[in-house]
Structure formats: C-alpha cells, structure tokens
Amino acid sequence: MRARFLYFLFFCSGISGLIYQVAWVRGFGNAFGNTVHSASLVIAIFMLGLGVGGYLAGAWADRRYQTPNSLLRVYARMEGVIGALGLMVSLVLPHLGSVIAGVSWYTNGAGEWHTLSAASYVARVGVAVLLLTPITLLMGGTLTVLIRYLVRSDLRASGSTIAMLYGANTAGAALGAFLTDFAFVPVAGLYAAQIIAVALNVVAGAGAYLLARTHRAEPDLRQRSPAFRSIPAVARRHTLRWTSLALVLSGFGAMGMEILWLRHAHLLLGGFRAVFSLLLAIMLAGLGAGAWFGGWLDRRTGRPAQTLMVLQACFVASVLLGLASADSSVLMAEGQAIAAAMTAMGPARRTLAELWYNTRPMLLEVGVPALVAGCAFPLANALVQHVEHAVGRRAGFLYLANTFGAVCASLVTGYLLLPRLGIQSAATVLACVSALAIVPLYLASRGRAAFITAGLTAGAALASWLALPGDFVLRRALVPQQASERVVAMSEGVTELVAVVDVPGRGRGLITNGHAMSSTAPLDQRYMRALAHVPLLSMANPERVLVIGFGVGNTVHAATLHPSVRRVDVVDLSRHVLDQADYFRDANQGVLQHEKVSVYVNDGRQHLQMAGAARYDLITLEPPPIAHAGVAALYSREFYELARSRLTPGGYVSQWLPAYQVPSESSLAMVRAFVDVFPQAVLLSGAQADLLLLGTTAARIEIDPAHIQTVLDRAPAVRADLARLDLGTPREIVGMFVGSPATLASATRGSPAATDDNPLQEYGVHSTLTTGLLGVPAELFDLEEVAAWCPQCFQGESVSSVAGLDLYLALLGQAYSARVADVEAAVAAVNGPRRVDGSAYLGAVLPDSAEVHNILGVSHLRAGSPADAMREFEAALARKPDLVSARQNLGQVRDERGAQLLEAHRYADAAAEFREALALLPDSAGVHNNLGVALASMGRVAEAREHFLKAVELKPDFAEARGNLAASRTP
C-alpha cells in the first residue's frame, strides 16, 4: 500500500514537471525569441539537469539507503523546494525579455545579413542555466532518491520496481502534457498552470512527509536480506559501461525520432498546438506504459539484456513502419467525411472528433515505438543492479546516459540531419543508431541467440526501408497537389520544409510545412502590399519601416517604392525562407539586395525588444497562420505594447488578420488586444477575407484623399504598383474600409484580450477539420462608418477624388462575402447617382463602369466560374482599355484555361488561349513558355523555339524555359 501511495505521489510530480516544461518553452520563447534555438536550449538544459541531478542524487542516496525514513523526508523536501523554485521562475519569466535584450546585439553574417552574435547566445545560455539548473537538478534527483528508497536489499525485483516508479512518473508527465494545453492554459492561463504545478509539488512533498512520519523503524537491512546473499556476483564494471552506451544510443534514436515525428505531424495534420501537445502526450504515455511492460517482461523472463536487444530491434522496425504507413491522401478522405458529419455535432462531440482524427495516425507512428522505447530504462536497470550499495549511483548513471543521448540527438537531428538529409534519410540514420544499441547489449551479456534475432529483425526492417523511393515519406506526407500545380523547388531547413510552386494563371507560391504561406497571386499581392502602402500614404514623410515576416517579399518591395522611406528593416526568424527570395524576383525585384533594405535573421518580437524607443514610423507584420503553435506571441497585448513603444509619434502598425482561420471568439480576442493598445484603429479588407488591422499612436486615425492623390502624383512607382492591384485611386484605397475605431471597440467590449498568459488564438483550432466551421465575425464590419476614417471624403472638393465611394464599398462588400447573384442584383438596383442606405451622395460612377465589371469578375472567380469572370473582365476592358488590373486578371484566367487544355492534350485550343493571354500580357515569361509547349506539342518546333527564347530573355533564371529551349534545339 505504501508503494502504491508513493507511485501516486510521483505520478503527481510527473504532471507538475511537464507543466513546467511547456510553460518554460513558451516563456523563454517570448524572452529569447520564438526560434528553434530557444526551444532547444530550454529542453537541453531541462534534460541535462534531470540526468545530472539523477546521478548526483543517486550517488548521495546510496550512502543513506539503510535509513529509509530519511530518504522519504529528503524527497519531501526536494518536492517542496521544486515548488518554491517553480513559483520563482513563473514570476521572473514575464520580465525576462528586457533583460535579455540588454545583453544581445547583432553581427553581420553571410550576405551582410544581421544575425545574433555568439555572445548573445552565451548570455541566453547563462540566464537559462542560472534559472533552470537548480530546479531541474532536483527534479532528476527525485527519481533516483525514490529508486534508492524502494530498492534497498532485494535486488532481484529492482527491474520491476524501477519500472513501476518510472512508469508512474512518465504517465503523469503524459497527463500533464495533455492537460496543460487542453485544459489549464486555455481555461486559466500560463501563470495559473504553473501555480497548479506548484500545488502538485506541495501535494507530493506533503504526502511523502506524511508517509515518512508513519514509517516504522526497521532493523539493519543487511541482516534481513538473505535473498541478496544468494545473488551471483555478476557486478562487473563493463556491464554498466556497455549498458550505459546502449542507453546513450537508445536515447539518441528515440529523441531524434521525436523531432522527426513533430516535423512529420506538422505536414500531415497541421502546425496546431493541439497536434503537438497530443503527440507529446501519446509519446509520454507510450513511454510510461512501456516502462511497466518492461518490468513485466523482466519478471517473466529474467533475461533483461536479451529482451532489450529484441525490443530495440522492434523499435527500429516499428519506427520505420509507422513513417512508411502515413498517407496524407487517406487522412484527407477521412477528414472530409468527419468534417461533413461535424456540422451536426455539438461542441463536445466536435472536439472529440478532432482529437480522434489527430490521434489515430499517431497511435501507429508514435505510440507503438514509444511503448517499445519505454522498456529500455527498467530493463537496463535490471541488467546492472547487482550491487546493493550502488543502486542509486547506477540508476543515476543510466538516467544520465539516456538523457545525454537525447540532448545530442536534439541538436544533431535539428541542426544537421533534417536540413542536410530530410525526413526519410534522417530516419535511416536514426534507425541505424538505434540498431547499434544492440551491440553493446550483446557485449554486456553475450546472448548470442537474442543478438542474432535482433540483428536480423533490424536488418530486415532497414533493408525494406532502403528499398523505398527516396521521396516516399515526403510525397505521402504532403497534401496532394492540384493537377495544374508544379513544384519548382523543395528543401528542408532547421524548422521547416519549404516548397516553391507555380500555379498557372495565379502566380508562384511559397509553401511551408505543407501550408500555403505567401504567393505572387494578384489577390495575395493586394493585401500584402497594402500592409505597407496604406499606412505610408497616411503619414507625412515616413522614413523608417520594419517588416516582420518576409514571405515572398511583397510588403518589403512595396515599402521601398516610397520616396521618403530611407530604410526598410526586414526581420525573419528563418534564413531558409529568406534564401528562397530569388524564386520570386518577378514580384520582389530582388529587394533583399536593395540599398534601403537591411535584413535581420531573428524573431520579430526579439528584434523589437532589442530596438530602441521611437525607432520606426511603420511596423508591419504578416506572421504565419495565427492558429499555428508559437505565432500567438505576435498577436498578444504585450506584443502590441512593445510595438507601440518602438513607434515614432504618429507612427503606424499594420497587421494581417486572417480571421477566417480561427473561431470568432479568437478573432475578437486578438482585435481586443490590438485596440486596447491602439484605440485609434481601423479594419480594412485586403482581399476576400484577408483583413488588415491598422493602428496609430496619433490622437485620431484619419486618411486624407487629397494627400493620397498628391503622394501618388509624386511617386509614379507607388501609383503603378497600386493600380495593378485595383488600388490606384483614393476611392479604391478608402474603399478597403470595413470597420471604424468605434465599431472595433464595440464588437470586442465583452471579449477577453489575447495575452502572453492567455494565448486564446492557439486553442480555438484543434485540427484542419475546423476550417469549414470558421468565419469572420460580422460585428467587426460596419461600412457605413467610413466617415470616421475619412471625414474629408464627404467634405468640399475632396469628394471628387473618391466619387462613388458608397457604391464602391457596397459592391466590394458583396464581392468578398456574398454570392455572385447578390452582387449582380446590387448593381442592377442602382441606375445612376443616388443615396445608398442613407449615406452621402454618390458621384458620377455608373453601375456598368469598368471598375464595377472588374469587381464582378473577381467575384465570379471566387465562385469558381472562370467563364463568367472572363465575360466581366472583357466588359471592363471594353469600357476602359487601360485598366491594368482587368487586363492582368483576364490574361491570367486565359493562361490558366490554356494550361487546363494543355493537360487535356487539346493543344490547338490551348495555343489559342495562350495567344489571347499573350495579347494581354506580352511581357509574361510564363505565358510565352506555355505557348511554346503547346506549339511544340503540335509539331511546330521552330515557332515554339521563338517563344522559349522570349521567355528566357524576359526571365533569365527561368529554368523550365531554358530546358525547353535546349530541347527544341536538339535535332
């Protein structure tokens, strides 16, 4: 009964430990920057602290194991001190960012890009070690102190006893990983979650102290252990050394695979907090169950080395089988069926459906290997625990060996194997390392039959794995591409898998970890460039701009076009993404080499912490999808407060707000955080449901159409860039408006703000299944309040520059949110200048103007009707032949239709469409290349060669066109 109660106390301690780990990774990420370096640093210190603490405490406990009451009291004190230190760290973390910023600076790296100096990382290591080493040493020490308490004289049961203890703690850790991100943080916040962890430490300490008080004194333990004296003397030192080496290799393989599993899950299931938390919980649950299973096997077989050899081979086989079995197309089919059924479910059943959707593929890929890996520690202890006075030291040494291998794996896998080899080849290396653990186990035991069995099993698994195509895992993990989509380049980096794809008629896109991140498509360029253009046009002579998140360079390039801007700082935490910039040179014009641009490879929030006060006139950011793990730090009230302190008087901040990606309450929480810091803020429609938040430090947020027109007249490059995006006039710019300061304040009055402590936006979406159930909160919209942003639009002479604004806003609202039929009905209802919903008088815009037809064409495209869209674009050009956006829209639609005909082998029809597209887009290298392909397919090689040559002249780095040109010259 005492042992069971102690297992329960250690189970509570396991819950506490994982709560701390999750909270620390987040807290240090906000302070150090949400980079892979920060997360790796915290986890490395955490695990090394556990290992070193386990060894030191075990060696100390060996000197006191004959007085069990004292060991229980020591454990109780350790838990109490852990709780006190945990409370201290929770109070320090929110204030750590300013301290770190004071000891960090940049140095020029390759390509003159600015990177954090080596000394900055040394300072971070020092701070993390100072804060985390004491508590993690104690955490690791609790394991070996309790092992020494429970394993005192009867060493033949050491394996099963240690299995029960280690399994209870790991099972608690699994529950802690699940509850932290599925209950504690979403409901109460990070700080409250840490207080729960402190309370659990108090429970464990108090329970152990109570147990010690009721523990009766025992006689000399050596006189009560005849069973010990009958154990053969097999305590040779080489057994411990070989077994420790086996655990180093086993820990290396298991932790390396955990990193691969995280990357793989991101590709298969999305980068959501729920996915990663569930994966960690399943892995820890598997390890805990595996520990108990290992203890059971030891009791049944009594041959720990031979058993562990076979299990290590099973780990290799199960790891490779799990990776090879995953298939995104199967998951998509299942997801579509579940998503269709979810519309009729209540919230609780919907959440369970999402959890099952995420859990099922993880059970085979992660759960089975983790179960097998969990057997290693108890079986290794059963192999070496034959010396009564060294139980704690030996258990600690094995624990240290295992954690040392895990720390090495986290560094080698993340920084070397994945970037250099990719998921599949990295898995090969890790499987081989795991298989090598069989060798030292054989040397420790000489179990020939088990060694041969294990070797053959691991060898057969590796041979089958190596027979697969080199891109097998990656191809099955990525979401199936559209028929017309072509992969230009694909590479893996430290934190992401990046793909560059071409989509005929739409442009070139950047896909990160399977998610469309940015592109050169016209609608995407519209809102990305508006992030810079609109606020810069609202200011008088802005000079310095900060762009957080490079993407494909749309926003950065837009900022450089403004004559008054002297410097544009670009901050992106991924050098890998920045390295792809040249693939999008058509859109960004090689902007990273622009004389105005300075590049900083860092986390955006960390850069702001390092920057001085009043440094920027504009801070603009377009982070990754807001529901993805780690992105919340750029949508919190604390972040906005930091950004405001770095703006000049009258400065602006603009931010992408894809509210359609999260539930309404999450969107409202983010907007509430924004308006709490920037009460003078408006909401704009960038393109379709891609919204923009625009805030200022000025007393009022207003835009002056006369000022806009003056700037456009003086900056032809800015005017031209805006014109091709349907934003070339003051009316079109002001027409982006959807919500005023009063509207945003009213809509979010009852909503809690998203904060660092309560990152609500990361918890509203559990899986990709949620997508069809999300929508933009309607209460954020009130187009009739446009006068609050542009009062001069309805006063005096300025009205002429925004003529027809009311109708334009009404049509845009319909085009981006309603059915095409509704848009056409709205147009038909207007027969000339009139009032609309009691607003100001319209100007001289007629319902059949070129602009209206162009808007209708975009709306048809949204509805999936390219033929109707072409009709509207043609109508627009008939009324206004120089309407650039309509020409581009029509040209791209024809190009896409031509690509579809080309795939259907209708070469003559495809060539006709490409010629029509070329008439509209004569300088498009892509259209020239496509026309050349169509002509070559018809046997008209000479004519095709001319178009390939023209494509290469327009775009010298167009690899496909160069290849086609070379092929056309081959006799």
Side-chain angles (χ1 to χ4, degrees), residues 883-905:
L883 187 58
V884 176
S885 59
R887 293 181 63 85
Q888 290 182 331
N889 290 337
L890 180 57
Q892 287 163 356
V893 172
R894 287 197 175 279
D895 186 32
E896 187 167 359
R897 280 170 57 90
Q900 293 170 351
L901 292 168
L902 196 62
E903 288 185 2
H905 306 294

Side-chain angles (χ1 to χ4, degrees), residues 724-809:
R724 67 185 183 85
L725 304 172
D726 295 325
L727 293 173
T729 66
R731 182 191 67 212
E732 291 170 327
I733 293 171
V734 178
M736 297 174 68
F737 173 87
V738 293
S740 68
T743 300
L744 301 185
S746 174
T748 60
R749 186 168 292 118
S751 174
T755 64
D756 288 346
D757 185 61
N758 197 12
L760 296 172
Q761 60 272 46
E762 288 194 0
Y763 295 103
V765 179
H766 294 144
S767 73
T768 54
L769 303 180
T770 310
T771 305
L773 303 173
L774 305 177
V776 180
E779 53 265 46
L780 294 174
F781 289 70
D782 190 351
L783 277 63
E784 293 184 8
E785 289 289 319
V786 64
W789 184 40
C790 186
Q792 296 187 41
C793 288
F794 308 101
Q795 299 172 6
E797 296 180 358
S798 294
V799 175
S800 61
S801 65
V802 288
L805 178 60
D806 288 342
L807 175 61
Y808 190 79
L809 282 171

Side-chain angles (χ1 to χ4, degrees), residues 332-373:
M332 282 186 64
E334 292 179 356
Q336 290 170 357
I338 296 174
M342 281 174 59
T343 55
M345 296 180 184
R349 289 187 62 197
R350 189 178 300 159
T351 299
L352 289 175
E354 290 187 285
L355 290 179
W356 172 245
Y357 173 75
N358 289 335
T359 301
R360 194 198 61 76
M362 293 182 189
L363 292 177
L364 175 62
E365 183 173 342
V366 178
V368 174
L371 177 71
V372 178

